[in-house]
Amino acid sequence: IGSQIGAFAGSYVDQALFGGASAPGPSLGPRLRDLHVTGSTEGAAIPRVYGRARLGGQIIWATEFEEQAVTHTAQGGGKGGFGGGTAGSSVEYRYFANFAVAIADGEITGIGRVWADGQELDLSAYTYRVHLGGETQSVDSLIEAREGAGNAPAFRGTAYIVFERMALAAFGNRLPQLSFEVYRAVEPFGGGIRGVVLIPGSGEFVYATQEVTHEIGGGENAALNVHTRQRDVD
């Protein structure tokens, strides 16, 4: 009873000092005031790649952030310390972004690793599509759905990537600074290469085609031949 009285008194003082009187309701978490996306530069150059390079990108299409309100209800103790009375509720706001990033001029072979704010991004946790930049590439399904059939550009001749409903909580509810490992074959025989052998190989499992792990204690395992977030042996 004493703690409830103290909480009520503290809430009353806070309302009087900072918020004024308001109707009772759930406490609200941090919320963005501006849901518009900004992060593209007018007239920025789009690089052309030969071989392999790490490149930044330019946003060429985006929607406003999607806002999702999630209500959390705290359960309080009932009479005698038992039961499940409701102590209060709070609202958390989560934000998601749909956007396309131009990577390179012309057609590329593919992309490798992706970094967000300098940290390697685990692409398996996101919905994305890579358009290689061919002159006959089709319109992205998300862009066409948002802009309407016949109104959506295909960005032919430009390699770009589309992220669909990327959760922004890990990036401070903003678009992260992205960079990409980009591949472009410069000779036709590149498409016929299936593997490269380096001799001498330093390591017991350097030629293993499957992930090999070892126990490090505490029920945790560590990979011996996987060192990126692409989940492939390297």
Side-chain angles (χ1 to χ4, degrees):
I1 295 175
S3 64
Q4 291 294 329
I5 294 176
F8 178 79
S11 175
Y12 181 82
V13 172
D14 289 343
Q15 289 289 335
L17 292 177
F18 305 110
S22 61
S27 60
L28 303 180
R31 187 178 187 182
L32 296 181
R33 293 172 178 256
D34 186 5
L35 301 184
H36 293 282
V37 174
T38 56
S40 186
T41 303
E42 182 79 18
I46 301 178
R48 179 177 287 266
V49 178
Y50 297 94
R52 182 177 68 175
R54 178 173 174 175
L55 303 174
Q58 288 290 323
I59 297 176
I60 54 177
W61 177 86
T63 65
E64 293 185 2
F65 289 169
E66 295 182 15
E67 183 181 74
Q68 180 184 45
V70 180
T71 302
H72 302 280
T73 301
Q75 297 296 326
K79 185 176 180 180
F82 300 97
T86 301
S89 61
S90 60
V91 177
E92 175 190 1
Y93 294 98
R94 300 175 182 175
Y95 295 93
F96 303 86
N98 304 296
F99 61 99
V101 181
I103 301 175
D105 179 50
E107 188 169 3
I108 64 174
T109 306
I111 65 171
R113 290 170 291 176
V114 177
W115 294 268
D117 293 337
Q119 301 296 320
E120 188 178 351
L121 196 65
D122 184 3
L123 288 177
S124 64
Y126 300 92
T127 300
Y128 70 97
R129 289 175 295 278
V130 177
H131 299 267
L132 299 179
E135 293 296 337
T136 59
Q137 69 184 6
S138 58
V139 178
D140 184 79
S141 58
L142 175 63
I143 298 178
E144 186 175 35
R146 291 301 185 98
E147 302 296 334
N151 297 323
F155 301 108
R156 294 190 174 109
T158 300
Y160 69 101
I161 183 172
V162 177
F163 286 96
E164 186 171 342
R165 293 197 87 243
M166 172 185 273
L168 300 178
F171 313 110
N173 286 328
R174 61 171 180 81
L175 289 183
Q177 189 72 27
L178 296 172
S179 59
F180 308 87
E181 185 179 30
V182 184
Y183 302 95
R184 183 182 184 186
V186 295
E187 294 291 347
F189 64 78
I193 297 176
R194 294 293 177 262
V196 177
V197 175
L198 301 179
I199 299 176
S202 56
E204 185 176 357
F205 303 105
V206 294
Y207 298 124
T209 59
Q210 308 252 342
E211 181 180 359
V212 179
T213 63
H214 75 105
E215 186 176 355
I216 60 177
E220 293 187 35
N221 294 329
L224 294 173
N225 57 347
V226 177
H227 303 90
T228 72
R229 295 184 180 272
Q230 293 181 287
R231 309 297 185 189
D232 294 328
V233 297
D234 57 0

